[in-house]
Amino acid sequence: MTETIHGITITDEYRWMEDAANRDELLAFVEAENARTRAMLDALPERAWFARRLGEVSSSLERVGGYKQCGDTALFLRSREGDRLPKLTIRDAAGERAFLDPAVVTGDPLAAFGAYEFAPDCRRVSIHVSSGGSEAGKVLLLDITTGQQIGPAIERIWGEFTVSFIGPDKVLYTQMAVPAEGVDPIIGMTAYVAPVTGGSATQVLGNGMEVPPENFPIILAPAGEPFALGAAAGARADNEFWIAPAASLQAGTPQWRKVGALEDKAMLAATRGHALFVQTTRTNPLGTLLRYPLGADGTPGASEVVFEGSPESLLRAFQTTADGVYVAASRDGAGQLFFLPDGRGPAQQVALPFEGTILNIQSDADGKGTSLIMVGWTHGTTVFRLNGIKVTPAGIAAEVWDGAQGMAVTRAEAVSKDGTRVPMVVLRRKGASGRAPTIVEGYGGYATDNVEPVYLRDQMAWLDKGGAFAFCGTRGGGERGREWYEGGRGPNKPRGMEDLAACAETLNAMGIAPERGPLVTGASMGGTLVPTATLRHPHAFGAMITRVGIVNPERIGAAENGANQFAEIGDPSDPQQFRDLVAMDAYHMITASPAPPPPTLMVIGLNDRRVSPWMTAKWVARARAKWPDAPIWLRGDMQAGHGVGTAEDVRTAQAADVYAFAWEQQSR
């Protein structure tokens, strides 16, 4: 079909793939392409080596995550060798033991746990369950002592959203819309208060808190706090915020007062007693934390600055606690932590146990303690307890492959087309020199930092084989503050593509990547960056892998979870933003591209609820039709989604395919 939108003529012969009525035809196309891809991948000489080595350096090691504590009881997710998906483990005065297995709870071997939350009494827990990596599922309310369900399941909950216990007999939650043909269930979410034992739920939006339907209404009501905080959140850097007396929320009749609008550029907010804290980039692109005193009815007074971001300490996040406020910052990606006693300071720097990334700072459900969760280049997920500036190991950490300590981390900079210096991190074996198979990864969205320290267990197999891996911090990410983020967003998206090409060329100039250029990869929002950079700058890259990518953003309005992305990448109803979407659209870029991309593998999970799989299917169909002899491949998986909640064997098989393909292309 051909149509003209805002003066731009769009031809889209594969639009039929978007229609749910054509799901069987779409799956048939993916199945046929997948069979062709499977034959290619299974014939690769290094595929068996990567499958075996991934088992040895990754799947055989213990993994942990999702730590929560309440009183003397802790819950966390743990996977051991042979576990398809993480199990919930409990640690209390009686010791440490397995608590719940998602497959046993549901009878579904592909079931996975998502977010979970203690009740303030430390005796109950809410836990999300979904299947096949879909992330959309239900929440169970359980008694911690017996593991028995204590109320009806709460349906249509997204995996990242918790169901909170408020008061002795009620829960608070955000629910997806009722499924209907042609309706995106992620649009029109609503927040409710309901009895734990079931019965009528009360909607708690309105009364001053009006949330646009494409946003997620999130309400937090920590135990003992006089105020609840509401947010209109979404896939963007900024959010809107409201507060209401906690007692009115528990009664189901909250009276909301707006305390943060989009023009305030407020990223995070939280209450602590009669004070409101807001993290903003409105006056300082490196971040400012403001404190507002609150009147009895929640009226904010004059603000005071309690922490100011700087080039040495870029403000990333904060967490209120009973003792004060913790502020997470970073410099060149490396995490920093500061403590503000009573939420005002002066700021005291906390000595961190290793150079790494702060994944989370969280107060216990009963408000009596605080946890710090970190990860580093050669440190797995590790849990600590915080008491002021004192950091104490909690005795819970992911197992790390012994050879990880033999990997070197090198920080570098690439010079982009306009002279901008772009941060980059390179990992390879200590003492390695000369050219080697090299992967460079880009992301460039949501103000996410792509060069912060993180231990990627599968990556160890690639490095152990002798490969190099680089992270490129393109504009559009959060590596250097608000201006860096805006510098690669909307009409500036091509700058991020130039940054990624510059990273690839720098890896070549450093004598690390093969002379034909490294393999470039990216996932999700990286789909607006990686394939477009490859088509715009084909000389820079030797091959490409795009995973679950937004490769057809011009059609974001037709995609599930699409409207929620408008604030980040553009609204197709706006003429200028539509032009920006077309300019970052890898699907439409195929038409004008004079030559095919380098050898390409496109990866999707058919259960993906974040990025519609038809985007990538359309891209492959058009590319293969235009360049039938080009090495372009599609890998689709019916047991996977966007990547969250995917079974270990499914995930490892994908990693083996990806690395085998990358090694083959980079070794030629």
Side-chain angles (χ1 to χ4, degrees), residues 306-326:
V306 293
F307 190 91
E308 195 79 81
S310 68
E312 292 73 33
S313 296
L314 172 65
L315 178 57
R316 308 296 303 183
F318 74 95
Q319 174 65 49
T320 59
T321 71
D323 299 326
V325 174
Y326 287 95

Side-chain angles (χ1 to χ4, degrees), residues 351-366:
L352 294 176
F354 54 81
E355 179 179 300
T357 297
I358 296 172
L359 297 178
N360 199 5
I361 310 163
Q362 58 188 18
S363 291
D364 296 349
D366 59 0

Side-chain angles (χ1 to χ4, degrees), residues 399-459:
E399 194 176 359
V400 172
W401 174 53
D402 291 341
Q405 300 304 321
M407 303 303 161
V409 179
T410 303
R411 294 189 178 274
E413 284 186 325
V415 180
S416 197
K417 182 178 178 181
D418 62 0
T420 299
R421 304 188 73 83
V422 181
M424 182 170 64
V425 174
V426 183
L427 281 72
R428 67 187 308 190
R429 281 178 176 168
K430 290 179 180 177
S433 61
R435 298 186 184 277
T438 301
I439 297 174
V440 60
E441 178 146 11
Y443 188 73
Y446 307 123
T448 297
D449 190 332
N450 198 45
V451 298
E452 59 186 7
V454 60
Y455 179 73
L456 299 177
R457 55 193 176 95
D458 290 344
Q459 187 187 74

Side-chain angles (χ1 to χ4, degrees), residues 29 33 602 616-625 632-634:
F29 169 81
E33 288 295 319
M602 306 293 280
T616 294
K618 287 173 63 178
W619 191 96
V620 171
R622 175 174 275 186
R624 296 253 297 118
I632 296 171
W633 313 88
L634 173 64

Side-chain angles (χ1 to χ4, degrees), residues 142-164:
L142 305 172
D143 181 276
I144 288 178
T145 303
T146 65
Q148 297 299 305
Q149 195 166 331
I150 58 176
I154 303 171
E155 304 288 345
R156 306 194 315 277
I157 305 293
W158 187 252
E160 292 178 306
F161 298 165
T162 58
V163 171
S164 302

